[in-house]
Amino acid sequence: MTNSERDRMTRILGGLPAAARGVLLETDWASHRHAYGSGEDIPVALCSLLDKDAGVRTEALAVLDMGVLHQGSLYTVTAPAALFVAAILDHPLCLAEHEGHLPWDDGPPRSLRAALLDWLGQVAESAAYGEDPARDRANWEWQPWHEDTRGKRDPDELAALQACRDIRPALYDAVAPFLSSCDPHIYASALGVALPLLSAPALADRVPRAAALLRGRLGTMTGRRERASVARALSLWGMDTSDLLADSDPAVRVCAALGPVRVDRPRALAVLLDALRDPRTTDGWFPEPLRGVDGCFRFTVLRSALDLAVSFEEVAAVTTAMVAAGRRSVVDHESGPILFRAFPGGYEPAHSLTSAQRALLRAFVDTDETTGAIGHNWLWFRAAGLPENREGIAALLRTYPSRRPGSGITVFRRGSTSAGSPPLDLARRKQRLPGPPVTRVEPPVLLADEGEWMGRRCAVAGGVRT
């Protein structure tokens, strides 16, 4: 620590709220780690958040983003730092406005309070990941092979994760007052923190009060973004959003259907499927992504529809049309999840394919040559227990019969053998093969530019947060 840093800490320490001063003085920072080493330098950065020099405050914000929560990763220093941040949210200096503190942060100026709330929201999201497997599967970034590595964290990672989960009640208590803020930016940032925090089992008893508060504000809101954010929060908290499924705004209707719907599931699913029929319009609803929703919005809608469906047949027409449309896309977040949902538990060679499964696989075969629908999705095909190339899928379609779900009737297609026959020689199956009759479905509206991304944080290379 330099002399100027020591002087800065001494100057700021006396004006800190008691809770923030307690965290700063009672934490053994040297025993903690951040992305770049020992946490002993973090107290200076935390105090610098309240320096009168805007440049110093901006540098301190960058430390939070780059070191304390590096690309969404939690460290042992993250929890005490988050408690400090929560304790200073009421400080008068938090009203000061700041330009973006990172090269890629090109948004409009925001107050220090909004920036700190947004950072706490990222901490809460990282702490929630992996806690509820069902909720994770509805996340647009979920991939089945990540399940194999989830339990392979080192002790420090696990300790950091548990520490951040343990402080969630304290974080919510600090954030809750700002859900009543008259400043729309502060309110939106506070909701961005509250949503993942109240998804924690330990905070379930606080959901009804927060939901009632949001319901009260909903009646005075007119903007699409604000109303959709409330609908999404209520839905993800498991509240009854059946009235919002009939809202005049389709974006609000869809957001009301994104969570674990407990009332009127068929109508919620129909709302989601309607949105997937016109992906360009759906992606354009929120030019600036909703807090907690990175990437193209249609990916979130798709995952929610796949999760809400009782069987693949409920979503087969729309999702097969998406694959059959043959556009290049970020396959891990669209075609791959569709395939995985069509084969819950993995493909079983002893069981014949359903008509819906055959139609989907045929769509993959027909579009693979031009879009790499199979080649680019090979990890998803492997996860579903299927061949990982076009030839293998084509042979599977000719070898095994289909059956109508629930009918018990096996339907043999031209070129098929008995259900127990082995796949035919793949070396002789490289020519294009006729497929089974497929019911025509109305294809969704295509995106004009295959690399077009409506969300600012989408990356064409894969949209995966690194």
Side-chain angles (χ1 to χ4, degrees):
M1 185 184 301
T2 66
N3 289 334
S4 63
E5 290 174 338
R6 187 175 293 105
D7 291 343
R8 184 188 310 155
M9 281 196 64
T10 301
R11 184 178 68 253
I12 295 173
L13 195 60
L16 288 177
R21 187 165 57 251
V23 171
L24 203 68
L25 298 178
E26 295 170 13
T27 301
D28 182 7
W29 297 99
S31 68
H32 292 292
R33 306 283 296 178
H34 54 68
Y36 302 105
S38 170
E40 59 188 343
D41 57 344
I42 295 303
V44 175
L46 294 177
C47 283
S48 298
L49 290 169
L50 297 178
D51 195 280
K52 293 182 179 179
D53 186 326
V56 173
R57 294 197 300 269
T58 296
E59 290 177 1
L61 284 171
V63 171
L64 290 182
D65 273 334
M66 298 293 289
V68 179
L69 186 72
H70 182 68
Q71 297 180 342
S73 296
L74 301 174
Y75 302 89
T76 55
V77 80
T78 308
L83 286 173
F84 180 92
V85 167
I88 65 170
L89 289 173
D90 257 337
H91 196 281
L93 266 176
C94 285
L95 297 175
E97 286 201 339
H98 283 267
E99 300 286 345
H101 55 277
L102 295 171
W104 53 85
D105 189 356
D106 57 353
R110 56 180 175 170
S111 69
L112 176 61
R113 179 172 294 152
L116 294 177
L117 284 167
D118 288 345
W119 183 80
L120 287 174
Q122 295 174 42
V123 172
E125 288 175 8
S126 294
Y129 186 75
E131 190 171 38
D132 183 347
R135 184 175 65 217
D136 291 345
R137 284 193 296 273
N139 184 292
W140 71 278
E141 292 180 301
W142 180 85
Q143 295 168 324
W145 47 91
H146 288 169
E147 298 294 309
D148 297 333
T149 60
R150 180 174 291 176
K152 298 179 181 178
R153 295 172 173 169
D154 65 40
D156 281 349
E157 287 182 281
L158 293 173
L161 176 61
Q162 190 58 51
C164 287
R165 288 177 175 175
D166 289 343
I167 65 170
R168 287 182 294 193
L171 295 184
Y172 182 73
D173 287 344
V175 168
F178 299 104
L179 290 174
S180 301
S181 174
C182 296
D183 183 327
H185 300 293
I186 296 299
Y187 159 75
S189 294
L191 181 56
V193 192
L195 201 162
L197 285 178
L198 292 185
S199 297
L203 276 74
D205 61 324
R206 308 187 192 197
V207 170
R209 183 175 179 180
L213 176 63
L214 296 191
R215 280 284 188 178
R217 296 196 62 151
L218 186 62
T220 64
M221 294 176 175
T222 57
R224 160 174 283 177
R225 183 182 182 84
E226 294 76 18
R227 299 183 71 246
S229 295
V230 169
R232 176 172 173 263
L234 294 173
S235 181
L236 291 177
W237 290 337
M239 307 303 292
D240 180 5
T241 56
S242 55
D243 60 318
L244 297 176
L245 294 175
D247 194 87
S248 60
D249 188 333
V252 175
R253 294 198 299 268
V254 166
C255 285
L258 292 178
V261 178
R262 295 170 183 166
V263 179
D264 209 351
R265 186 197 67 85
R267 183 160 58 138
L269 182 58
V271 165
L272 297 175
L273 293 177
D274 281 345
L276 292 174
R277 290 187 176 94
D278 188 358
R280 171 181 286 280
T281 297
T282 299
D283 280 341
W285 285 338
F286 308 109
E288 177 69 20
L290 297 177
R291 282 175 172 82
V293 183
D294 293 340
C296 294
F297 189 58
R298 74 178 187 274
F299 294 159
T300 293
V301 177
L302 173 63
R303 292 298 183 102
S304 295
L306 296 177
D307 186 62
L308 191 58
V310 173
S311 68
F312 178 65
E313 280 68 24
E314 282 193 307
V315 297
V318 171
T319 56
T320 300
M322 294 172 70
V323 175
R327 68 175 179 268
R328 290 185 181 272
S329 180
V330 180
V331 291
D332 281 352
H333 307 309
E334 195 164 44
S335 298
I338 292 171
L339 175 79
F340 195 73
R341 182 63 184 86
F343 292 88
Y347 168 64
E348 296 268 354
H351 297 160
S352 55
L353 298 172
T354 68
S355 297
Q357 289 171 334
R358 287 184 65 85
L360 178 64
L361 292 180
R362 174 56 61 187
F364 273 104
V365 170
D366 289 346
T367 57
D368 181 61
E369 188 173 349
T370 57
T371 68
I374 297 175
H376 292 168
N377 275 299
W378 67 272
L379 279 172
W380 287 96
F381 276 83
R382 174 178 292 181
L386 290 161
E388 299 166 21
N389 53 59
R390 183 174 181 269
E391 291 81 3
I393 296 299
L396 181 66
L397 286 172
R398 281 206 303 273
T399 301
Y400 291 99
S402 66
R403 60 181 170 83
R404 298 187 183 94
S407 68
I409 300 174
T410 297
V411 182
F412 288 89
R413 303 293 185 183
R414 182 176 58 180
S416 70
T417 63
S418 67
S421 299
L424 302 181
D425 180 12
L426 297 184
R428 301 181 354 240
R429 299 301 183 185
K430 295 192 176 182
Q431 70 273 25
R432 189 176 180 84
L433 301 167
V438 179
T439 302
R440 288 184 61 82
V441 291
E442 190 67 25
V445 178
L446 305 185
L447 297 182
D449 180 357
E450 309 301 357
E452 180 179 354
W453 293 97
M454 307 305 293
R456 287 189 178 184
R457 299 182 185 178
C458 274
V460 173
V464 179
R465 193 181 306 156
T466 58

